[in-house]
Amino acid sequence: MDNILWDELDVVVFDVDGTLYCQSKLRKIMLLKLVLHYVFRPWKYRELLVIYHFRKEREKRAGYRGSNLQEEQYNWCAQKTNEKLDFIKRVVDRWIFEEPNRYLKECMYPGVSVFIELLRKKGIRTAIYSDYESIKKLKCMDIKVDLEVSSTDPEINSFKPNSEGLTFILSKMKATGKDKCLFIGDRYELDGLCARELQVPFLLIKEETALKGFYVTLADKISISGYNNVINDR
């Protein structure tokens, strides 16, 4: 962190899950929601199997590159559960892509919004690169970036640590040089290796330090005129 030349950065790329918010806190909330929902609906246990296998099959395919990842992820789940695709999509959309968004705001790490706002004011462009679709997540967290890219986008069709998504971002944003970019993520085996493949500087975010104000510290390092006012306004 101390060797990052913030004044020379052109683009900062963020992962989302576990990077902008505390994933363990969200998982605890969602576990409680799932238990409370299904304990009174045991006949719907098949939905829990769908949720489990959808995530599990995606995790098993780190670095996978396909032709239509958006649909393939549902097909993998269907092969494991023998459920129809429309049923799988309905369950996944509710419990993975919609319901958790309601609690993202309260799970955000301290200083995230301020840090991203300071980057913008400093003229540093920002992008999101996540293995999951993130547009709705960013809206719920009230975070605005210049570009949002997901692994399931048709231009990408590959999971991290495959660097296709990061390559797309650098090209799309016409980055002035890889050394002037920074990728921030919480998993070295995915985000870090992706950055290393392209020789892009990488900053690892750890939950413990993020909860203690890591982003606030970063904001201090790139503070500009009016920083205190930004802090106070939030």
Side-chain angles (χ1 to χ4, degrees), residues 216-230:
V216 175
T217 300
L218 289 182
D220 277 333
K221 290 183 177 298
I222 62 167
S223 61
I224 58 176
S225 178
Y227 167 66
N228 290 328
N229 291 332
V230 175

Side-chain angles (χ1 to χ4, degrees), residues 25-37:
K25 180 177 180 179
L26 181 64
R27 284 175 175 171
K28 290 176 183 177
I29 293 174
M30 289 309 302
L31 177 60
L32 178 60
K33 296 295 178 182
L34 287 169
V35 169
L36 291 176
H37 181 81

